[in-house]
């Protein structure tokens, strides 16, 4: 039950990503709405669980996407590791963590594009990073305001 | 303990995901089914999002005959300009479709109903010569592939492999691993149809760079039967569909003596169509 808000947020983010993905994209660059949710979840669950939570969100994105399964999962997991190390109680810190994670997610998509035909080009990956950061910045304030409702302390684990 | 379990699960899932990302193809049927779970959110959000986008993008609806809101002459003029541009665009598209259908008709009444088009989405060269095609949902391995780009239809190659979502790879006749039995034909003016030369069938093999060859042929046979530069080689291979026997393969471009083998020549053939520039191929789905 403690994870219910996180599950709901993930479902909402992946559903919106599916529904609005085409509208939140420019060329091959796509704003990764689920990453914003994953970063937020990684900031609110205990640090040890943060990368796993981000990986699960990434895996869900892969499961509803068109590319190979695991591509986003790896990117989200690595970005989740970074976010879990950068845990902060300051809003600016959250924005930096979110952006750093978006860079890792985009870089992972670009690296994947070097090996697979369905991957992203460098321009697509850079656009994805930029769009994700912009969308993240726009959504950050309301998310930050409801952060306390999502917080899970280590002691409760 | 919980932390360790969480870390172990994470590492296992990470390794599995990385392996899957690198080595596994996409699973379209599973992914389509998974996406259906999110329909309660994705469907309304898409409907609202696309409606909003239409409101932002769309031109105001045309109401040319409303007496209640007479428009300025300038507005009518601008609308006319837009409509003229659209007319030109649609005329161009219609012409493209007419050309496309005319090209497809080159297959003839026997072949056309048995073929399905597929789009060429890539050319893979290097070790071999392969086309990547999309929209080939009914493709199976070794299926014959034709083109309609030249003056008449010709053989492109055979399906090498297929993948989900209509993806397939076609080995070109110019691929070094391609071997096809063929024969020469000439145009008979009286019968108004091509007739075969009096030569034995031979093997046409690919040599790369979009070219083919007959590596060794008796020179006397060619000269006595009148085969020269410009003569067409057509398919005469029992492994291919009966419908395709006699379909063009490539044209003789050069006949050169085989070094150290007196009386034998090497015949270079050009399919006359640059396979790398094809936009569409036809798959013989119902042989």
């Amino acid at each position: 039950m403690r994870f219910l808000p996180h599950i709901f947020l993930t479902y909402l983010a992946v559903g919106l990503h599916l529904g609005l993905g085409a509208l939140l994209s420019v060329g091959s660059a796509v704003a990764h709405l689920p990453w914003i949710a994953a970063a937020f979840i990684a900031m609110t669950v205990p640090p040890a669980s943060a990368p796993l939570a981000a990986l699960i969100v990434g895996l869900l994105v892969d499961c509803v996407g068109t590319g190979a399964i695991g591509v986003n999962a790896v990117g989200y997991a690595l970005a989740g590791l970074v976010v879990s190390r950068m845990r902060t109680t300051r809003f600016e810190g959250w924005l930096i963590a979110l952006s750093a994670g978006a860079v890792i997610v985009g870089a992972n998509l670009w690296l994947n594009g070097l090996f697979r035909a369905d991957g992203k080009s460098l321009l697509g990956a850079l656009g994805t990073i930029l769009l994700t950061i912009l969308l993240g910045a726009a959504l950050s304030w309301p998310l930050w305001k409801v952060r306390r409702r999502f917080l899970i302390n280590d002691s409760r684990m | 303990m919980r932390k360790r379990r969480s870390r172990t699960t994470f590492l296992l899932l990470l390794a599995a995901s990385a392996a899957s990302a690198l080595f596994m193809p996409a699973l379209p049927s599973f992914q389509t089914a998974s996406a259906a779970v999110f329909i309660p959110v994705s469907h309304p959000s898409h409907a609202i999002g696309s409606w909003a986008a239409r409101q932002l993008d769309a031109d105001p609806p045309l109401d040319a005959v409303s007496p209640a809101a007479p428009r300025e002459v300038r507005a009518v003029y601008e609308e006319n300009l837009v409509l003229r541009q659209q007319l030109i665009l649609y005329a161009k598209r219609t012409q493209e479709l007419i050309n496309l259908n005319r090209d497809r008709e080159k297959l003839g009444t026997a072949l056309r109903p048995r073929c399905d088009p597929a789009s060429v989405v890539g050319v893979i060269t290097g070790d071999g010569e392969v086309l990547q095609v999309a929209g080939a949902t009914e493709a199976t391995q070794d299926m014959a592939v034709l083109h309609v780009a030249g003056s008449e239809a010709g053989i492109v190659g055979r399906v090498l492999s297929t993948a989900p979502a209509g993806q397939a790879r076609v080995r070109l006749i110019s691929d070094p691993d391609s071997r096809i039995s063929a024969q020469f034909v000439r145009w008979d003016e009286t019968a108004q149809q091509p007739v075969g030369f009096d030569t034995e069938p031979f093997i046409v093999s690919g040599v790369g760079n979009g070219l083919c060859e007959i590596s060794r042929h008796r020179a006397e046979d060619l000269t006595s039967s009148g085969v020269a530069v410009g003569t067409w080689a057509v398919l005469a291979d029992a492994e291919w569909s009966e419908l395709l026997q006699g379909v063009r393969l490539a044209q003789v471009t050069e006949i050169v003596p085989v070094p150290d083998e007196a009386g034998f020549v090497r015949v270079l053939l050009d399919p006359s169509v640059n396979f790398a520039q094809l936009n569409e191929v036809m798959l013989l789905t119902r042989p």
Side-chain angles (χ1 to χ4, degrees):
Chain A
M1 287 301 281
R2 286 172 295 158
F3 289 103
L4 204 60
H6 303 86
I7 294 168
F8 178 73
L9 181 68
T10 303
Y11 183 79
L12 194 69
V14 177
L16 287 174
H17 182 62
L18 264 178
L20 300 174
L23 299 169
L24 298 176
S25 64
V26 179
S28 63
V30 184
H32 264 244
L33 186 62
W35 164 245
I36 299 161
F40 182 71
I41 291 167
M43 290 287 277
T44 52
V45 298
S49 310
L52 180 61
L55 186 147
I56 290 169
V57 178
L59 208 53
L60 272 175
V61 175
D62 286 325
C63 286
V64 301
T66 52
I69 290 174
V71 175
N72 283 299
V74 171
Y76 279 38
L78 298 176
L81 268 173
V82 171
V83 171
S84 68
R85 296 280 184 276
M86 296 173 68
R87 286 173 77 89
T88 175
T89 51
R90 293 169 62 89
F91 181 65
E92 297 81 10
W94 148 250
L95 279 181
I96 291 168
L98 179 79
S99 306
V103 170
I104 292 168
V105 169
N108 175 64
L109 290 173
W110 171 63
L111 280 174
N112 174 61
L114 298 179
F115 296 100
R116 297 183 75 112
D118 55 359
K120 283 221 188 304
S121 62
L122 180 61
L123 206 62
L126 286 173
T128 297
I129 294 168
L130 192 68
L131 282 179
T132 307
I133 292 174
L134 286 175
L135 185 67
L139 295 177
S140 281
W141 187 247
L143 277 176
W144 192 253
K145 282 286 172 194
V146 296
R147 186 173 59 107
R148 288 184 189 285
R149 294 185 190 279
F150 286 81
L151 270 177
I152 296 175
N153 295 320
D154 268 326
S155 58
R156 293 174 69 189
M157 283 293 285
Chain B
M1 188 65 186
R2 275 175 186 276
K3 275 185 185 174
R4 190 185 295 171
R5 201 171 59 194
S6 174
R7 193 175 301 150
T8 310
T9 313
F10 170 69
L11 289 174
L12 281 174
L13 271 174
L14 183 62
S17 301
S20 164
L22 281 174
F23 303 114
M24 256 181 64
L27 304 169
S29 48
F30 168 73
Q31 288 167 311
T32 310
S34 305
V37 175
F38 294 89
I39 282 176
V41 176
S42 64
H43 187 253
S45 63
H46 177 71
I48 294 168
S50 51
W51 173 82
R54 274 198 302 275
Q55 297 307 307
L56 289 172
D57 285 349
D59 294 328
L62 295 178
D63 187 13
V65 291
S66 170
R71 294 178 305 157
E72 289 178 15
V73 175
R74 182 167 186 78
V76 176
Y77 171 74
E78 283 172 358
E79 183 190 309
N80 270 337
L81 276 182
V82 171
L83 289 172
R84 275 184 202 149
Q85 284 166 1
Q86 284 180 352
L87 210 59
I88 292 166
L89 188 71
Y90 288 133
K92 186 171 172 283
R93 283 184 187 167
T94 310
Q95 192 55 50
E96 281 170 2
L97 283 174
I98 290 168
N99 291 344
L100 188 66
N101 273 322
R102 197 176 51 208
D103 281 347
R104 287 177 182 175
E105 294 310 319
K106 286 178 196 164
L107 287 171
T109 48
L111 277 174
R112 178 67 193 93
R114 295 165 186 271
C115 291
D116 286 331
S119 305
V120 177
V121 292
V123 186
I124 300 147
T125 53
D127 293 338
E129 299 216 334
V130 173
L131 284 187
Q132 176 88 22
V133 298
T137 46
E138 291 185 46
T140 53
Q141 195 162 2
D142 287 337
M143 184 177 274
V145 182
L146 299 105
H147 70 78
V148 288
S151 55
E152 64 180 83
I155 302 285
V156 170
R158 293 177 103 157
V159 174
L160 182 66
S161 61
T162 59
Q167 295 286 318
R169 286 188 169 183
V170 178
R171 172 177 284 153
L172 298 175
I173 57 170
S174 55
D175 183 286
D177 285 337
S178 166
R179 301 273 183 282
I180 300 171
S181 182
Q183 73 170 96
F184 288 118
V185 289
R186 64 184 168 82
W187 183 254
D188 188 326
E189 288 294 343
T190 48
Q192 285 294 302
Q193 63 177 20
V195 290
F197 278 104
D198 189 20
T199 54
E200 289 291 310
F202 45 83
I203 298 294
V204 171
S205 51
V207 289
N209 289 326
L211 295 172
C212 307
E213 68 165 8
I214 305 161
S215 57
R216 193 170 166 275
H217 202 292
R218 197 177 289 277
E220 196 183 312
D221 282 0
L222 295 185
T223 45
S224 63
S225 55
V227 172
V229 170
T231 304
W232 276 93
V234 298
L235 189 80
D237 195 324
E239 284 183 18
W240 291 62
S241 165
E242 191 61 37
L243 289 162
L244 297 174
Q245 306 304 319
V247 174
R248 280 181 171 187
L249 272 176
Q251 198 171 20
V252 176
T253 54
E254 204 177 345
I255 301 173
V256 289
V258 176
D260 303 330
E261 274 196 88
F264 287 93
V265 288
R266 176 179 181 238
V267 183
L268 272 173
L269 299 135
D270 186 347
S272 84
V273 167
N274 187 348
F275 294 135
Q277 291 174 4
L278 290 177
N279 290 321
E280 185 189 74
V281 289
M282 304 296 284
L283 276 75
L284 184 65
T285 49
R286 294 170 287 279

